[in-house]
Amino acid sequence: MNLKKILQFSIGPIGAAALSLITLPFVAWFFTVEDVGRLTMLQVVLSLAVSLFSLAMHQAYVREYHEEDDKQALFKVSVIPGLAVLLLVSVITIALPFSISMLLFEIDSTLLSFMLFIGIFASFFINFLAHVVRMQERGLVFSATKITPKLFLLIFIGLIMLLNLKAEFKTLMIMNTLAVLSSLMMFLWLTRDTWLPALKKNVSIVLLIKMLKFSLPLVAGGIAYWGLTTMDRFFLRSLSGFDELGIYAVAVALAGAVSVVSSIFSNIWHPILYKWAKEGIAQKKVQCVIDNMIIFVALIWSLAGVFSFIVPWFLPKEYQAIEYLIVACVAMPLFYLLSETTGVGIGITRRSKYSMFASISAFLVNALLNYLLIPDYGATGAALATVLAFFVFFIVKTEFSARLWCAIPRIKMYILILSYVIGTLVMVLSKANLGHFYLMWVFLFVFTCLLYRSRVSENVNILKFFLEKR
């Protein structure tokens, strides 16, 4: 994948993050903290639906893409199992004698329940279509799959103010649903050369079984990972209320800007890695990627710690706690980003069940810590629990990879990451009230550069050569 393709794939996550940063303060200023919390619950449920009902077949699609010649048939096989399960569960849920909207949003509304199901189905299809254009290396179209839902949401939310509509959650829900539906229509048009021919293809039972063997272990892992990233919202909703949930959700959403990097890297890394695996992978290449990723993660983590005091300036005073929550929230996508490189052995060896074990281990740690910490510490407890759980996720996934494939050097990496975790815990527990606390983050990054000085020197020389060549 050349530089042009990388830039095309990067536009989407960067644009989506920028639009989120515009939309979020807007919602925070004009809607109540409770409605922000309800919007968070909606996003959590949509995320769960994609993780659960896709049956992780989109990951099997990516894994087998370079192995199968008939891409349209591969797409059909990947979609059908999850769609069948989603239809069955939807019928059963509608027949149940309780209100799904009351359960999730504490608002009894048939309209909200209807909008929820529309959003789930649309998100399900968007997920698969995004992976189609990703594997076709259509960078601009893939970027559109990331930007368009956020852009439509921003436009529709703007209409609430422009048309003087009532700023309540029902209105917000309708606008969110319209945004997702509009995006789906666009993606169906852009990928018609794949899904239209796929309708006429026969389903290969052999291929279906092969893909399910790879994907089904990832379902439990995917749900566990979903729980790892979202269970804190459920605990906050039940143990602290929608106000604490709203504050925490805004902190997580702002930290989600860091997920842009994770998204860009994953979209580029997995196709390259599996192509390397087919051609015969060199361990030195992977080690180089790991070392550079550690340096990058340390840099972003330190920058978040140094400049966290700026964030509350752009939000109402109710969100002041975000100053010390933001660093913990940034750590979550950084752990995932790093584990994408240190855990490569699991994907290379097709031992996907070990990803499941890593996610379940972290899930259990997160559940226990959320239960113990949230009643007394609220959003602070949720942040602490999730940081520690992601640390466990990173360690377990890295260790499994080392045993399944090859043992990468890990001691100094663990020492460094543990130092950053301790620094984060100190900042959150002290509520950023320590004098000159930013020096701690500067020291940690200097420590990183010393530990990986040979790689830093190598990168500096590459940068010098590049600048001189220009």
Side-chain angles (χ1 to χ4, degrees):
M1 190 177 289
N2 57 36
L3 180 59
K4 181 180 178 181
K5 289 287 186 182
I6 292 174
L7 291 175
Q8 289 176 347
F9 274 95
S10 303
I11 291 171
I14 293 172
L19 289 171
S20 294
L21 290 176
I22 295 171
T23 304
L24 192 61
F26 184 87
V27 173
W29 279 104
F30 290 98
F31 289 84
T32 65
V33 177
E34 289 79 8
D35 282 342
V36 173
R38 291 187 178 97
L39 180 62
T40 300
M41 287 302 300
L42 169 63
Q43 294 167 341
V44 164
V45 171
L46 293 179
S47 173
L48 171 62
V50 171
S51 296
L52 178 60
F53 297 117
S54 68
L55 301 182
M57 287 293 276
H58 57 287
Q59 296 190 50
Y61 175 84
V62 171
R63 183 65 185 89
E64 301 301 327
Y65 187 84
H66 293 295
E67 310 290 336
E68 295 293 325
D69 295 326
D70 194 336
K71 312 302 183 186
Q72 289 86 6
L74 179 66
F75 175 75
K76 184 174 184 177
V77 171
S78 67
V79 171
I80 283 180
L83 181 59
V85 175
L86 176 55
L87 287 169
L88 177 62
V89 172
S90 297
V91 171
I92 294 174
T93 304
I94 291 171
L96 292 174
F98 61 81
S99 169
I100 190 71
S101 67
M102 186 66 187
L103 179 66
L104 296 174
F105 313 121
E106 293 186 352
I107 301 174
D108 189 0
S109 171
T110 303
L111 175 63
L112 289 183
S113 298
F114 178 67
M115 292 289 106
L116 176 63
F117 281 109
I118 291 177
I120 289 173
F121 274 92
S123 299
F124 173 86
F125 286 114
I126 287 173
N127 175 56
F128 280 98
L129 297 176
H131 283 83
V132 168
V133 295
R134 171 190 173 189
M135 297 310 296
Q136 291 174 346
E137 296 191 6
R138 297 165 66 187
L140 292 178
V141 178
F142 177 81
S143 289
T145 67
K146 301 297 180 183
I147 292 176
T148 306
K150 304 289 186 181
L151 181 60
F152 278 129
L153 180 59
L154 180 60
I155 292 171
F156 286 130
I157 289 178
L159 290 177
I160 296 176
M161 302 297 109
L162 185 63
L163 301 177
N164 199 28
L165 300 176
K166 189 174 181 181
E168 62 179 0
F169 180 67
K170 285 185 180 181
T171 310
L172 200 56
M173 179 74 156
I174 292 171
M175 296 306 176
N176 186 81
T177 305
L178 288 175
V180 177
L181 269 180
S182 300
S183 301
L184 176 60
M185 295 301 105
M186 176 180 171
F187 303 147
L188 286 172
W189 172 256
L190 291 172
T191 58
R192 62 192 184 279
D193 59 333
T194 294
W195 67 267
L196 277 176
L199 295 175
K200 300 177 183 179
K201 297 289 183 178
N202 294 323
V203 174
S204 168
I205 301 301
V206 174
L207 179 60
L208 176 62
I209 293 173
K210 178 183 179 182
M211 293 176 71
L212 285 173
K213 283 182 178 179
F214 179 83
S215 70
L216 287 180
L218 294 175
V219 176
I223 295 172
Y225 183 77
W226 171 87
L228 173 62
T229 55
T230 58
M231 76 164 65
D232 43 17
R233 279 73 146 187
F234 286 100
F235 274 100
L236 281 169
R237 178 196 180 285
S238 60
L239 300 177
S240 291
F242 279 113
D243 52 346
E244 284 285 307
L245 173 58
I247 294 169
Y248 182 72
V250 171
V252 172
L254 289 172
V258 178
S259 298
V260 173
V261 181
S262 178
S263 177
I264 293 171
F265 178 77
S266 295
N267 292 326
I268 296 170
W269 175 236
H270 288 150
I272 291 175
L273 176 66
Y274 292 140
K275 188 176 290 186
W276 283 355
K278 186 177 181 181
E279 297 170 353
I281 193 166
Q283 183 184 343
K284 287 185 178 180
K285 286 184 178 181
V286 175
Q287 188 61 54
C288 178
V289 174
I290 291 172
D291 290 348
N292 285 319
M293 186 56 67
I294 292 169
I295 296 167
F296 177 79
V297 164
L299 174 62
I300 298 300
W301 207 330
S302 291
L303 288 174
V306 170
F307 295 106
S308 61
F309 71 95
I310 296 175
V311 178
W313 294 357
F314 302 96
L315 295 167
K317 62 180 181 180
E318 296 94 326
Y319 295 89
Q320 189 65 37
I322 288 178
E323 177 180 355
Y324 57 87
L325 293 177
I326 190 73
V327 179
C329 295
V330 163
M332 304 172 200
L334 289 179
F335 270 127
Y336 180 78
L337 177 61
L338 188 54
S339 72
E340 287 288 270
T341 58
T342 61
V344 294
I346 295 173
I348 290 172
T349 59
R350 284 191 171 93
R351 309 290 289 278
S352 52
K353 64 181 180 181
Y354 290 96
S355 285
M356 174 188 71
F357 294 150
S359 297
I360 291 175
S361 300
F363 174 86
L364 295 174
V365 171
N366 203 17
L368 176 62
L369 292 178
N370 272 292
Y371 178 76
L372 295 175
L373 297 176
I374 286 179
D376 292 328
Y377 298 100
T380 298
L384 294 173
T386 309
V387 167
L388 293 173
F390 262 93
F391 182 54
V392 170
F393 172 78
F394 161 70
I395 295 292
V396 174
K397 190 173 179 181
T398 301
E399 288 301 310
F400 277 141
S401 176
R403 282 158 176 73
L404 291 171
W405 183 52
C406 63
I408 62 171
R410 305 187 295 285
I411 299 299
K412 67 178 181 180
M413 176 178 67
Y414 287 159
I415 292 172
L416 178 65
I417 298 303
L418 179 60
S419 300
Y420 270 93
V421 169
I422 293 172
T424 301
L425 298 182
V426 168
M427 184 171 183
V428 173
L429 290 172
S430 67
K431 299 186 177 180
N433 286 327
L434 295 176
H436 305 292
F437 70 87
Y438 63 89
L439 293 176
M440 172 179 66
W441 301 110
V442 174
F443 169 79
L444 285 173
F445 185 66
V446 171
F447 180 50
T448 303
C449 293
L450 290 174
L451 282 179
Y452 291 89
R453 53 187 175 275
S454 60
R455 192 68 70 186
V456 171
S457 177
E458 178 183 303
N459 291 332
V460 169
N461 290 333
I462 292 173
L463 180 60
K464 284 181 179 179
F465 175 77
F466 177 77
L467 293 175
E468 289 172 359
K469 189 176 179 181
R470 296 193 64 179

